[in-house]
Amino acid sequence: YQRRVRGIHCFDDVKAVLFVVSLAGYNQLMYEDPTKNQMQDALELFADITNNPAFKNSEFFLFLNKKDLFEEMIRTTELKKCFPNYNGGSEVQEAIVYVEEQFKERMADKSKTLHSHHIAARFKKDIKYSWEEAKKVLLDVNKAQVSRAQKYHENNKEKEK
């Protein structure tokens, strides 16, 4: 864990954080620590990153990957294995929404938007659509920042007169 967040203080003015998680991780253990569930580890890391002051002005994108594998796994292994409070059974979309909510709950700033995408990276259309959405969000954020800077500059010019 410490190795993963050790250099986080080096990040400055990060515009976006893309966090990719395997949905199949709810039923898999960590390679580095075979006693720890992959999804639970991802949730802990996500909380550490999203709540770090270095990223307070960053947009967050959550890509829940391996949707296709998850759809197969959930038929035989309930999500309850990872989330004991889950009561939705094996309905895929309901389970994915529940996982997404677990990530949202880890964000201390509830006013921040978590841009979530459910993808199967092996399908080009999933990746293409998700990247287009991410680019649009970042473009809109940058336009808003430029607009604010222009207004600030114009107001200061007026005061100088």
Side-chain angles (χ1 to χ4, degrees), residues 15-20 59-63 114-117 119 126-142:
K15 300 294 182 203
V17 175
L18 175 65
F19 200 84
V20 182
E59 294 293 321
F60 284 91
F61 296 89
L62 174 65
F63 281 28
L114 178 60
H115 307 279
S116 300
H117 297 274
I119 63 170
D126 281 5
I127 297 299
K128 183 176 181 182
Y129 173 77
S130 298
W131 276 119
E132 291 301 320
E133 287 293 309
K135 287 191 304 189
K136 182 186 179 316
V137 166
L138 294 175
L139 184 61
D140 290 347
V141 167
N142 285 335

Side-chain angles (χ1 to χ4, degrees), residues 4-132:
R4 294 191 293 195
V5 294
R6 182 176 50 209
I8 209 160
H9 65 279
C10 297
F11 290 94
D12 184 27
D13 197 31
V14 172
K15 300 294 182 203
V17 175
L18 175 65
F19 200 84
V20 182
V21 179
S22 169
L23 281 165
Y26 86 96
N27 190 29
Q28 297 175 343
L29 299 175
M30 296 286 297
Y31 175 76
E32 303 89 350
D33 180 358
T35 65
K36 191 164 199 176
N37 176 277
Q38 284 182 9
M39 183 69 70
Q40 293 299 328
D41 183 69
L43 285 162
E44 288 175 22
L45 183 59
F46 182 80
D48 289 340
I49 292 171
T50 58
N51 299 319
N52 189 297
F55 303 115
K56 73 177 182 179
N57 297 318
S58 302
E59 294 293 321
F60 284 91
F61 296 89
L62 174 65
F63 281 28
L64 295 174
N65 191 24
K66 298 191 179 183
K67 179 177 65 173
D68 51 336
L69 184 56
F70 180 77
E71 289 171 355
E72 292 175 22
M73 292 174 81
I74 197 101
R75 290 183 198 135
T76 57
T77 306
E78 287 192 22
L79 194 58
K80 248 185 189 321
K81 178 176 183 175
C82 181
F83 300 106
N85 293 334
Y86 178 70
N87 294 315
S90 60
E91 204 295 298
V92 174
Q93 195 55 38
E94 189 176 337
I96 291 174
V97 168
Y98 184 86
V99 171
E100 182 180 322
E101 287 299 319
Q102 298 309 300
F103 282 91
K104 283 182 183 175
E105 286 178 12
R106 296 324 192 265
M107 296 176 77
D109 183 353
K110 301 302 181 197
S111 68
K112 282 193 79 100
T113 300
L114 178 60
H115 307 279
S116 300
H117 297 274
H118 315 148
I119 63 170
R122 66 189 188 107
F123 297 121
K124 286 183 181 180
K125 67 177 176 55
D126 281 5
I127 297 299
K128 183 176 181 182
Y129 173 77
S130 298
W131 276 119
E132 291 301 320

